[in-house]
Amino acid sequence: MLKMIGLTLAGLVTSISVAHAGLITDTIENDRYLSTWQSYSYTHDINDDGFALGSAVSGTLSIDIRDDQDGWWESFEWSLVIVEDFDFDTDSFSFYANDLNSELGLAALASLNADGLLDVTVTSLLGDFYVGNSVLSVISQVPEPGTIALLGAGAFGLLLARRRKDANA
């Protein structure tokens, strides 16, 4: 019987001791037209998706920026995307209306870990274009439950050893 309990506990500890990374995705559906010197700001909030503050390990930000296709003379459209504060960390400067696909830099991850929010500002420096959907994907650490299970199995073993010692005395 004791051997069966031990094998069951060993199987339980082995099965739940694997750490997993959680993927949290937040999509903001934009359809905002920007002309020269106009800006558009929005905030990604991953707090309502089960995000634990301080658990973000890495992430990516994708913003759909598309040209309005109004004429060849406006083919030079300059955009500036600022994530949190302007620091060339995750930010982007483009001479054409290009999509942004960027890994989150250190400053953006630090801000995300602090409050679960990521502020984004898109500015048209020259020309006009549309700001489409913005997708934030964050990989976060999920606490490893195996440590707690291992501690519980050890405490259970000590309890059984104590009972056996008391029964023999």
Side-chain angles (χ1 to χ4, degrees):
M1 178 68 175
L2 191 57
K3 189 174 185 180
M4 181 67 101
I5 293 173
L7 288 174
T8 304
L9 282 175
L12 179 66
V13 167
T14 304
S15 67
I16 65 173
S17 65
V18 179
H20 300 288
L23 175 65
I24 298 173
T25 303
D26 184 51
T27 302
I28 296 179
E29 296 179 2
N30 300 313
D31 191 22
R32 180 66 82 129
Y33 174 79
L34 295 179
S35 61
T36 303
W37 293 111
Q38 284 187 326
S39 293
Y40 174 59
S41 297
Y42 56 92
T43 301
H44 280 279
D45 183 359
I46 59 173
N47 290 315
D48 55 351
D49 296 325
F51 177 69
L53 294 181
S55 67
V57 177
S58 66
T60 58
L61 179 64
S62 299
I63 303 172
D64 178 30
I65 299 175
R66 61 189 185 281
D67 189 11
D68 61 342
Q69 306 285 331
D70 59 354
W72 64 268
W73 61 89
E74 289 191 11
S75 61
F76 297 104
E77 298 177 325
W78 298 357
S79 64
L80 175 65
V81 178
I82 299 174
V83 179
E84 289 301 323
D85 298 319
F86 187 73
D87 59 4
F88 291 110
D89 190 11
T90 307
D91 307 324
S92 169
F93 178 75
S94 174
F95 288 106
Y96 300 101
N98 290 333
D99 294 345
L100 170 75
N101 293 307
S102 178
E103 292 284 328
L104 295 182
L106 187 60
L109 274 175
S111 176
L112 195 60
N113 277 320
D115 58 7
L117 304 174
L118 190 69
D119 298 324
V120 179
T121 302
V122 180
T123 303
S124 172
L125 299 178
L126 179 66
D128 50 354
F129 51 85
Y130 287 92
V131 177
N133 293 349
S134 178
V135 179
L136 174 65
S137 299
V138 177
I139 296 176
S140 62
Q141 293 176 338
V142 176
E144 187 174 323
T147 306
I148 296 170
L150 190 58
L151 271 156
F156 183 71
L158 287 174
L159 178 69
L160 285 177
R162 178 72 175 183
R163 284 185 158 212
R164 179 179 278 173
K165 182 180 174 185
D166 289 345
N168 289 338

